[in-house]
Amino acid sequence: AQSVTQLDSQVPVFEEAPVELRCNYSSSVSVYLFWYVQYPNQGLQLLLKYLSGSTLVKGINGFEAEFNKSQTSFHLRKPSVHISDTAEYFCAVITTGGGNKLTFGTGTQLKVEL
Amino acid sequence: GAGVSQTPSNKVTEKGKYVELRCDPISGHTALYWYRQSLGQGPEFLIYFQGTGAADDSGLPNDRFFAVRPEGSVSTLKIQRTERGDSAVYLCASSPFWGDPNGYTFGSGTRLTVV
């Protein structure tokens, strides 16, 4: 079985400050990892994904994430946030050979303040 | 279509009524997924179609929930005898094929409120 843990339910941060949203997963097999963003009253939009290769992946809107197999983590980072980054962020995992079923974490609400 | 389309965007129904939620996936996508997102939670898997058949319905909470995809394109999620606990946002997603690791494209969801 696979699961995804997002330790922080809310992260407040000032505009232009850096931010890190934490994600840990548990799986006994190889995984594909994803970060999705959800703006108010909208659907989920893919930010970035890790399939294989370089452990540092870059996504849209200046976000990046690093896959750490030994720590089973996939933390999301941005060096300087904007007000427009205020949204809910979801980490998700697919286990290879696991039926291509995305399993989501409970989400982290990023609130960017002036 | 250009994206995944879900209708209606909002649905208010009375407890005990029957509802249908529609999903129109991206043209050519053979895999289609339904998720449910309760307030303050991440999306939870309900059912997945490959073509016309339900390949995995292990996430359906009980037999009041049923989904079809008769022609391998549009899908309908059907909920009988709705309960207040069914209130949630129902999300549909599609991907080009089963096993595509690139993630899914999601629709904007249907917000179901049972009163």
Side-chain angles (χ1 to χ4, degrees):
Chain A
Q2 62 200 37
S3 70
V4 181
T5 303
Q6 293 183 247
L7 294 170
D8 306 304
S9 59
Q10 294 186 32
V11 173
V13 62
F14 287 110
E15 192 174 37
E16 298 184 4
V19 71
E20 178 180 83
L21 305 184
R22 295 181 293 170
C23 173
N24 288 87
Y25 67 92
S26 63
S27 175
S28 58
V29 296
S30 298
V31 295
Y32 302 130
L33 294 156
F34 306 83
W35 276 98
Y36 281 84
V37 60
Q38 187 174 37
Y39 298 102
N41 299 315
Q42 295 187 27
L44 294 160
Q45 180 182 4
L46 182 65
L47 266 182
L48 49 78
K49 59 181 182 277
Y50 171 78
L51 305 182
S52 65
S54 173
T55 57
L56 182 64
V57 292
K58 295 186 182 297
I60 61 172
N61 302 340
F63 284 93
E64 63 181 32
E66 185 155 20
F67 170 58
N68 188 317
K69 187 175 182 179
S70 63
Q71 296 186 4
T72 59
S73 68
F74 190 56
H75 301 331
L76 181 70
R77 303 186 187 103
K78 186 170 183 177
S80 176
V81 296
H82 302 286
I83 289 286
S84 59
D85 293 324
T86 295
E88 187 89 19
Y89 292 79
F90 292 95
C91 183
V93 62
I94 292 175
T95 54
T96 55
N100 195 22
K101 189 162 53 181
L102 263 179
T103 299
F104 287 87
T106 53
T108 297
Q109 176 66 43
L110 176 64
K111 185 173 182 181
V112 181
E113 303 169 348
L114 291 172
Chain B
V4 178
S5 175
Q6 291 189 248
T7 54
S9 55
N10 282 283
K11 176 71 176 178
V12 180
T13 190
E14 293 180 346
K15 179 177 177 295
K17 298 290 188 182
Y18 167 83
V19 296
E20 290 189 351
L21 313 179
R22 175 188 169 107
C23 172
D24 199 343
I26 291 174
S27 179
H29 279 195
T30 61
L32 184 148
Y33 313 83
W34 283 99
Y35 280 76
R36 179 168 71 173
Q37 186 176 17
S38 301
L39 193 62
Q41 300 295 316
E44 295 177 315
F45 171 79
L46 294 177
I47 186 171
Y48 141 62
F49 288 88
Q50 177 61 26
T52 60
D56 183 348
D57 64 358
S58 61
L60 294 177
N62 51 60
D63 61 6
R64 295 186 298 104
F65 288 74
F66 190 70
V68 296
R69 195 186 184 197
E71 297 179 356
S73 178
V74 171
S75 176
T76 304
L77 179 65
K78 307 180 180 191
I79 310 174
Q80 298 177 323
R81 305 183 304 280
T82 52
E83 301 177 356
R84 292 196 178 86
D86 299 335
S87 296
V89 176
Y90 289 81
L91 295 167
C92 177
S94 69
S95 63
F97 53 88
W98 179 87
D100 181 1
N102 287 292
Y104 313 159
T105 301
F106 282 85
S108 298
T110 294
R111 183 176 299 277
L112 176 66
T113 303
V114 182
V115 298

